[in-house]
Amino acid sequence: MVYFEHTPDYGAYLLMLFLYYVGAIALILYGAYINRKFLMKKRFVWVDMKPGVVPFLKKFLPWLLIGLMIWSFATFKLTDYYLSSYSFTFSGTHLTGGGVVDDLAGNTKYTFDIDGLKRFGVPKFGLLKGYKLEASEREGLLIKNVDQTVVIQGYPFLPVVKLYIYDMKGNRVVGVHTAYMYFPRSPSDRLRQIFDFPFALFYWSEGGGPGA
């Protein structure tokens, strides 16, 4: 089941999907296009422009960095949208593992095994958020369940998110393994592969669509 109070606004979801697949790449390519003149061999004296690779990179680098930051953020947010929607509860977003652990330790909805998380390790830095996945969905004749504690780590300038998936025995953490969300994989398809669970935020009565 989806926790509908945790699902994103449809417009925000489509925006992140656009940035993930098209927007960030388009921004990077546009930055390269408008500065392509710096790669020409001819010198344009009237604008005091010295062509070459180094001048091109100086002009293009801000476009590249901004595009990569948007791309990495979109990857993180799409992962967050899906995991939040199937999570009974979750932490806030933090830049340090200590912030995530403190949030989970003070959670009033679920008692996390904080000692177990610390023993098996929580990522120290990055764009971080923790979840308690707890849901079930019918897939054909089967009822599939997901019941795990997860911490995700976004990487600046990379369309990659690392998932720390804690193996549970009852309410105790007994191990951890990792997986990655990465471009160009569909977030829903990649999470389905990782957890063997049908992640979907929006449904259509006929056919499919983004996130279906």
Side-chain angles (χ1 to χ4, degrees), residues 121-160:
V122 174
K124 289 183 170 54
F125 301 103
L127 202 56
L128 307 171
K129 191 169 182 176
Y131 309 82
K132 173 54 181 166
L133 292 179
E134 190 173 308
S136 61
E137 287 283 348
R138 179 181 293 277
E139 190 172 54
L141 298 176
L142 299 176
I143 300 294
K144 292 197 170 185
N145 298 286
V146 63
D147 185 5
Q148 288 163 302
T149 298
V150 178
V151 174
I152 65 171
Q153 179 183 34
Y155 290 89
F157 308 113
L158 290 175
V160 176

Side-chain angles (χ1 to χ4, degrees), residues 154-175:
Y155 290 89
F157 308 113
L158 290 175
V160 176
V161 170
K162 186 174 183 178
L163 292 85
Y164 293 77
I165 304 165
Y166 297 89
D167 304 315
M168 308 297 294
K169 186 175 183 180
N171 290 332
R172 293 191 303 110
V173 176
V174 295

Side-chain angles (χ1 to χ4, degrees), residues 52-184:
V53 173
V54 173
F56 169 78
L57 290 177
K58 286 181 179 179
K59 292 290 185 178
F60 172 59
L61 187 59
W63 291 89
L64 176 63
L65 294 180
I66 292 171
L68 290 177
M69 281 296 293
I70 291 173
W71 207 359
S72 65
F73 179 73
T75 307
F76 178 87
K77 284 306 296 180
L78 284 172
T79 307
D80 172 48
Y81 285 160
Y82 281 96
L83 294 184
S84 294
S85 299
Y86 287 88
S87 290
F88 173 66
T89 186
F90 42 82
S91 76
T93 303
H94 296 274
L95 296 178
T96 65
V100 173
V101 170
D102 288 344
D103 268 11
L104 298 181
N107 193 285
T108 58
K109 292 184 178 180
Y110 179 80
T111 303
F112 287 88
D113 179 11
I114 301 301
D115 291 337
L117 291 173
K118 290 180 178 179
R119 182 167 65 255
F120 288 99
V122 174
K124 289 183 170 54
F125 301 103
L127 202 56
L128 307 171
K129 191 169 182 176
Y131 309 82
K132 173 54 181 166
L133 292 179
E134 190 173 308
S136 61
E137 287 283 348
R138 179 181 293 277
E139 190 172 54
L141 298 176
L142 299 176
I143 300 294
K144 292 197 170 185
N145 298 286
V146 63
D147 185 5
Q148 288 163 302
T149 298
V150 178
V151 174
I152 65 171
Q153 179 183 34
Y155 290 89
F157 308 113
L158 290 175
V160 176
V161 170
K162 186 174 183 178
L163 292 85
Y164 293 77
I165 304 165
Y166 297 89
D167 304 315
M168 308 297 294
K169 186 175 183 180
N171 290 332
R172 293 191 303 110
V173 176
V174 295
V176 65
H177 63 282
T178 59
Y180 291 88
M181 170 78 71
Y182 51 86
F183 180 86

